[in-house]
Amino acid sequence: QVQLRESGGGLVQPGGSLRLSCAASGGAFSIYRMGWWRQAPGKEREFVASIIFDADVPSYADSAQGRFSISRDMAENTVDLQMNILRPEDTAVYFCRVIIWNGAGTVGYWGQGTQVTVSS
C-alpha cells in the first residue's frame, strides 16, 4: 500500500508564493505519474498539474499554466509544486495523487490533502 505525505500548505497573500511537496512511500513500486489536484468549497475536485515520472514531462491545467511549476525527484519519490502569483481563487485543499505500475496496469492513490488559503 502506497502512502502519500503532503506538506507546504498554508495562508498566503494574493500575489505570493507557496511550495507544496508530496512524498510517496510504502515498499517497492514504480511511479508512472504523480501530481496535484485541488478542491475548493462547494466545487468538484479538479486537476492542477502532474508529471510523468520517467520522462519528466509535465502537464498543467490552464489555470496553473505560467504560474505553477511541477518537478519531481526520482530518487526520493517526491513531487513538488511551486505556486507563484497566487490568487484568491487558488484557495482550496490540494491533494497529491500518484499512479503506479502494478504489473497488470496502473493503480492510483490519493493523499489526505493540504489546505492552501490565498487571502489578504
Side-chain angles (χ1 to χ4, degrees):
Q1 185 78 3
V2 175
Q3 292 92 42
L4 297 174
R5 185 179 72 253
E6 301 142 325
S7 60
L11 173 65
V12 64
Q13 292 187 343
S17 298
L18 278 177
R19 189 175 184 88
L20 304 182
S21 294
C22 178
S25 62
F29 52 85
S30 178
I31 296 174
Y32 165 59
R33 184 189 292 266
M34 199 165 175
W36 293 91
W37 291 62
R38 68 186 183 187
Q39 188 166 19
K43 295 188 176 182
E44 294 188 353
R45 193 171 297 189
E46 65 177 8
F47 170 75
V48 178
S50 70
I51 191 163
I52 298 176
F53 237 56
D54 282 352
D56 196 17
V57 174
S59 297
Y60 298 97
D62 288 346
S63 60
Q65 188 75 42
R67 298 188 300 128
F68 295 2
S69 178
I70 191 167
S71 60
R72 59 80 170 118
D73 184 325
M74 293 186 69
E76 299 293 329
N77 283 338
T78 60
V79 65
D80 288 351
L81 183 67
Q82 178 65 42
M83 303 187 294
N84 299 323
I85 318 175
L86 283 161
R87 306 164 179 164
E89 53 264 39
D90 293 316
T91 295
V93 177
Y94 283 69
F95 295 90
C96 179
R97 178 162 175 80
V98 66
I99 299 174
I100 66 169
W101 299 103
N102 70 349
T106 60
V107 62
Y109 295 89
W110 291 99
Q112 292 191 335
T114 184
Q115 177 70 46
V116 171
T117 302
V118 184
S119 175
S120 55

